[in-house]
Amino acid sequence: MFASQSHNDVGGDLVGRDKVDNSKTTVIQLVTNGAAGQELAALYEKLKADGVGDPSHGQISEKLEHYMSTTTDGDVRGLEAKLRDSGREEQLRAATDLKERAFKSIMKYQTSRTAQRVYTIVLSELHAAFTLTVTPVIQQGADRVAVDQCISAILQATKNMLGENVLEFDVMDLLALLYYLGGNCHIRWDKC
């Protein structure tokens, strides 16, 4: 037997199970920075020529060093504490492994100033996008699903920005770099 609900007026929402409040969900659409895309294209050309581009002579660029160093003027908790404090304990093992993977990947290219610049652009893009889109959602008290949707959006937008992507970053590499930023005190997954 089927009961029609088409003319029922209950003075509000009529739901069969869970009602999802999307009023706090922030939909983000990131615009690819044309200048970054052009710079990446030029860097890729240098890397394609010999796999190194401009040599670094073992020196890490100042801007990349900023992301590799733990900041001391903010939230100095490590990655593990940040994940625990934000209710992401199930991510600890994978996040730690991915953070290590990011570090090794960066160090693999320590002799290439060109590749260092690519990493700096990617880390900068992730850091800025997280700060400007994910952090406000966290501060608003959005649920984890909404926060993770924002994180997924910035990962996809960053991947799209990469263009030809000579260093072959995939979304998991970008997530690894995000955990790397978290481990070095640049981002967090809980309220300030």
Side-chain angles (χ1 to χ4, degrees), residues 143-177:
D143 65 16
R144 177 155 170 198
V145 171
V147 172
D148 287 350
Q149 287 173 344
C150 288
I151 291 170
S152 179
I154 68 168
L155 293 174
Q156 287 300 323
T158 304
K159 184 164 182 349
N160 293 340
M161 176 199 72
L162 293 172
E164 189 176 354
N165 194 6
V166 170
L167 296 182
E168 300 180 350
F169 290 107
D170 60 31
V171 175
M172 289 305 289
D173 294 324
L174 298 175
L175 182 59
L177 290 170

Side-chain angles (χ1 to χ4, degrees), residues 28-30 38 48 64 86 89 97 104 116 118 136 138 147 152 161 166 181 190:
I28 57 174
Q29 181 177 6
L30 301 174
Q38 289 174 348
K48 287 191 297 187
L64 183 56
S86 62
E89 294 87 357
D97 290 346
K104 287 178 179 177
Q116 287 182 29
V118 172
I138 293 168
V147 172
S152 179
M161 176 199 72
V166 170
L181 287 170
D190 58 340

Side-chain angles (χ1 to χ4, degrees), residues 1-4 9 25 29 36 40 49 56-57 60 64 79 92 99 109 126 130 145 149 155 162 172 175 185 189:
M1 178 185 272
F2 174 75
S4 173
D9 181 13
T25 303
Q29 181 177 6
L40 285 170
S56 69
H57 306 293
I60 301 293
L64 183 56
L79 179 61
L92 283 173
K99 179 186 171 214
Y109 292 102
L126 287 170
F130 194 96
V145 171
Q149 287 173 344
L155 293 174
L162 293 172
M172 289 305 289
L175 182 59
C185 303
W189 293 265

